[in-house]
Amino acid sequence: MLVTKLKPLDEIFSLVQKKTVLICCEGCRDVHSPDDRAIATLRGLLFSRTDLSFVVTSYVCYREHLELLIQNNASIIDDADVILVLSCGAGVQTIADFVSCPVYSICDTISLPGYQGLTPSEFNCIGCESCHLNKTASICPVTSCVKGLVNGACGGAKNGMCEVDVSIECGWVRIFERVESRK
Amino acid sequence: MLLTELFGQRKFVITGEVGPPKGIQINDLLHSADKHLRCVDAINVTDCQASMMKLGSLATCKALLDHGHTPVFQLVCRDRNRIALQSDLLSAAFFGINNVLLLTGDHTTLGDAPESKPVYDLDSVSLIQAAAALEKGFDLNGNKLEGELPRFAKGAVVSPCSDNVDVQLFKMLAKVNAGADFFQTQTVYEPEKFIDFMEIASGFGVPVMLGMVILKSANMARFMNKNIAGVSIPQGIIDELDNDKDKARSGVTGVNIATRVINECQEFCQGLHIMPMGWDDKVAEVLTGLKNKRNS
Ligand code: SF4
Ligand code: SF4
């Protein structure tokens, strides 16, 4: 069962830009995302603040499926200043890997055990309950750092590779590289 | 004596470092500290460094304290959850060990018990927050402490010559914001890189102590280049150690290199942290070679 919880409204409003796309993932089986009423209210509030486009879909963590979704909505996504996502952390990361504009999560994933949809995503989320993706260029520090560090690198990386296994890129170096590439 | 008080007096603070043995016999360590490390302000005690199971840092700190030294208690997040970390900080303060160095810690797989479960319930930043909270009378969960409150000089580490300095500065700032009182750096052999780093880091307003390992041989230098994160030793220094093996072995070359680098960096930092790795007797020689003698 997947459970997510909307982030505080102030935090969500601080993320909107001129052209904002909101992608809501209806997800895999047994999703407990914020209910329709809450999303409708949020949409209303966002409409009053930004030029909002709204896309509802499912399985954004599934790469091939997401690719189609992005193709079908190319006109609005290419034009977006920012994409806000309501999905589990894996979904947010998959979208961020596809597009060049900033991608932010507007919810915290609380729990994500068991069956996780059509396909296990190449990105991980363990439902840490306070999603860090908005501060880490949409790369999950909890699952991409071997020590699960959320405040920055441990200092053990050498030439960008993790101290634990030189075949793994240091998650925090990846975060910095993505930040740099988006400047 | 809190190191923060020494920094407050604008003293160029000098610390050394010892590694506890694998066992409970620490007479040699104490004897060497008594004989060779009276010249430093405080002595760091490593906490199962490189994930090797050793005698505890806290016990060794207490023994040094009883011998009249000022210990710096190194504490890593690898082996303890937040209950044990905070409890050990209280234990240290209880013994009168108030200088602490708070680290994330090498991963367990790098040491001599690679199958052990790493903890990382906290990291260096949240451990600094925990120490700061204890000083204010609360634990991390906001529960109140009773009675007299502990005081700490909260140290942290940073690598100025890392291959990704931005990553280092980002974490350093997080540590400053969490309440770090001073920094010890990874060993430096490239003064230019250190000076560039300090140009930004000095803006954080927290004292930085230059880290220095006295090099024992060209092979040690090559090993460190290959295996130790944040260390880069220029070829010129490796050649210097290679050229006269006797001089390197006796420590003359290592001491020369150390004093040369420190002299170039001294005016840009507020202290010096020497990691002699067993060469305790060379520490005084390095200090004798400094251009700016201490103003104590
Ligand atoms: S930070 Fe990582 S583990 Fe936590 S909710 Fe976000 S994606 Fe999931
Ligand atoms: S090297 Fe990078 S990925 Fe590996 S434990 Fe350290 S911060 Fe995490």
Side-chain angles (χ1 to χ4, degrees), chain A residues 145-147 153-154 157 162-163 170-172:
Chain A
C145 163
V146 176
K147 296 176 187 169
C154 72
C162 175
E163 72 169 22
C170 165
W172 274 98

Side-chain angles (χ1 to χ4, degrees), chain A residues 44-107:
Chain A
L45 291 168
L46 287 175
F47 264 126
S48 63
R49 284 171 166 78
T50 165
D51 176 0
L52 184 76
S53 311
F54 185 61
V55 180
V56 182
T57 178
S58 56
Y59 300 114
V60 288
C61 60
Y62 180 27
R63 196 174 254 282
E64 281 72 15
H65 180 70
L66 178 69
E67 205 162 3
L68 273 178
L69 173 91
I70 289 179
Q71 274 167 19
N72 292 341
N73 293 278
S75 58
I76 53 169
I77 287 177
D78 290 349
D79 215 24
D81 295 318
V82 63
I83 298 177
L84 305 186
V85 185
L86 190 93
S87 78
C88 70
V92 181
Q93 293 177 77
T94 313
I95 296 174
D97 201 43
F98 261 104
V99 299
S100 53
C101 70
V103 174
Y104 295 123
S105 171
I106 59 164
C107 61

Side-chain angles (χ1 to χ4, degrees), chain B residues 9-75:
Chain B
Q9 295 160 14
R10 309 230 158 256
K11 227 180 136 183
F12 188 77
V13 179
I14 298 176
T15 53
E17 182 170 298
V18 295
K22 200 167 179 82
I24 56 173
Q25 184 60 262
I26 58 167
N27 287 349
D28 290 351
L29 182 152
L30 290 174
H31 180 71
S32 177
D34 289 346
K35 191 160 169 213
H36 301 298
L37 298 179
R38 295 270 178 214
C39 53
V40 297
D41 296 304
I43 304 173
N44 273 240
V45 182
T46 53
D47 178 10
C48 296
Q49 193 174 31
S51 307
M52 310 285 259
M53 196 288 294
K54 298 278 177 69
L55 177 66
S57 172
L58 188 54
T60 310
C61 282
K62 176 69 168 80
L64 284 169
L65 185 70
D66 291 345
H67 275 235
H69 300 278
T70 303
V72 179
F73 173 39
Q74 293 196 0
L75 183 62

